[in-house]
Amino acid sequence: MTLFYILLVTLAGGVASVSIAAMLTVGLLSRIVKHLVSLSTGVLLSTALLHVLPEAFESGADPHTLFLVLLGGLMFFFLLEKAELYRHTHHHEGDGHHHHHHFDQEQAGRGGLSVLVGDSIHNFCDGIIIAAAFLADHHLGWVTAMAIVAHEIPQEVGDYIVLLNAGFSRRKALLFNAISGLAAVAGGLLGYFIVGPWQAMFPYLLVAASSSFVYVSVADLIPQLQRRLPMKDTALQLFWLGVGIAFVVIVVGGKHSH
């Protein structure tokens, strides 16, 4: 049953993001994404700090080692994001450089493929994290999966918009986004069979998951929120942040229960 839950959740995250992108227009997606960013920030931070990290530290593992894993995880995701950012280095039409005809369209296409490769790697890691959480505790698995899906939906929708701007057709962008999402299923499947026998590693994997949540929130999502300074935008951000935190607190019950 655990394997079924892992496959169900990892598949549902990709299907949900693709379905939302397919149903809505690009203009509407652009307006919705900013609210989803605030919501996912609240969900990720509260999941990491109120549930996943307490679970890891209550396991009896050495706290110093857990903090070392947390630091290493933050550095890993920093480097992963560095690699993904190279996708934005292509040139644009009218940039003052002299290139052959369709050069920038070719570069945009390559940038779109880089987005897909980076997302596939990230989705694969998410699948392993979800598998480890479910193997540790089903309730923890659902909460962790919820946090990951809450972040994946705005991320995948945003990447869908990037792919359209890179010259992909609507159908092709949806198809490739869906294929990228399947990497999470592969990660969940591998995690179930590889991570399962190593239960002593669960606290460290949970801390690694938390490092992902914290890094994405602090280094990626919050800077996006900080770029919108008007009081109206700030009030909406606080509202959706609060909704995300409240949702996790209600689901978790405010504290971890063994």
Side-chain angles (χ1 to χ4, degrees):
M1 202 63 181
T2 299
L3 178 59
F4 172 75
Y5 288 152
I6 293 170
L7 295 178
L8 176 66
V9 168
T10 52
L11 182 61
V15 170
S17 60
V18 172
S19 298
I20 290 173
M23 289 186 297
L24 303 176
T25 65
V26 174
L28 185 57
L29 286 175
S30 299
R31 291 194 295 271
I32 290 176
V33 164
K34 62 183 181 181
H35 300 310
L36 291 177
V37 168
S38 300
L39 177 67
S40 61
T41 301
V43 170
L44 286 174
L45 283 177
S46 54
T47 298
L49 300 177
L50 301 180
H51 198 74
V52 181
L53 280 175
E55 170 79 20
F57 279 88
E58 290 170 8
S59 67
D62 177 43
H64 292 87
T65 305
L66 292 177
F67 274 114
L68 182 61
V69 172
L70 180 62
L71 176 61
L74 293 172
M75 295 302 298
F76 169 78
F77 288 106
F78 165 73
L79 294 174
L80 180 61
E81 186 180 41
K82 276 281 190 180
E84 291 178 344
L85 286 174
Y86 282 114
R87 70 193 185 201
H88 296 297
T89 59
H90 57 270
H91 294 86
H92 298 279
E93 298 288 354
D95 60 1
H97 299 288
H98 298 287
H99 307 303
H100 65 268
H101 191 52
H102 296 315
F103 172 86
D104 293 306
Q105 184 176 358
E106 294 171 7
Q107 294 301 306
R110 292 171 189 167
L113 291 176
S114 297
V115 169
L116 294 170
V117 171
D119 282 349
S120 296
I121 294 172
H122 209 125
N123 290 338
F124 184 80
C125 294
D126 286 343
I128 294 177
I129 289 170
I130 289 173
F134 268 107
L135 288 167
D137 176 74
H138 278 189
H139 179 63
L140 180 65
W142 286 112
V143 174
T144 301
M146 175 195 67
I148 289 176
V149 170
H151 168 57
E152 282 303 311
I153 289 176
Q155 177 180 307
E156 295 298 335
V157 169
D159 288 341
Y160 168 69
I161 296 173
V162 170
L163 292 177
L164 291 179
N165 291 333
F168 285 73
S169 68
R170 186 180 178 93
R171 178 177 297 180
K172 190 175 181 180
L174 290 171
L175 175 62
F176 278 93
N177 241 10
I179 294 173
S180 172
L182 291 178
V185 180
L189 190 62
L190 181 67
Y192 177 80
F193 289 107
I194 301 298
V195 178
W198 303 90
Q199 292 196 22
M201 295 296 296
F202 288 166
Y204 307 102
L205 289 171
L206 295 179
V207 170
S210 293
S211 70
S212 170
F213 296 168
V214 171
Y215 182 83
V216 167
S217 299
V218 174
D220 183 21
L221 302 182
I222 290 179
Q224 293 182 47
L225 302 181
Q226 295 285 40
R227 288 198 289 268
R228 297 195 299 274
L229 298 177
M231 288 299 297
K232 181 181 178 181
D233 286 343
T234 301
L236 284 171
Q237 290 169 359
L238 289 173
F239 172 76
W240 286 110
L241 278 165
V243 170
I245 294 171
F247 185 59
V248 171
V249 169
I250 291 171
V251 171
V252 177
K255 60 180 179 180
H256 171 68
S257 56
H258 291 285

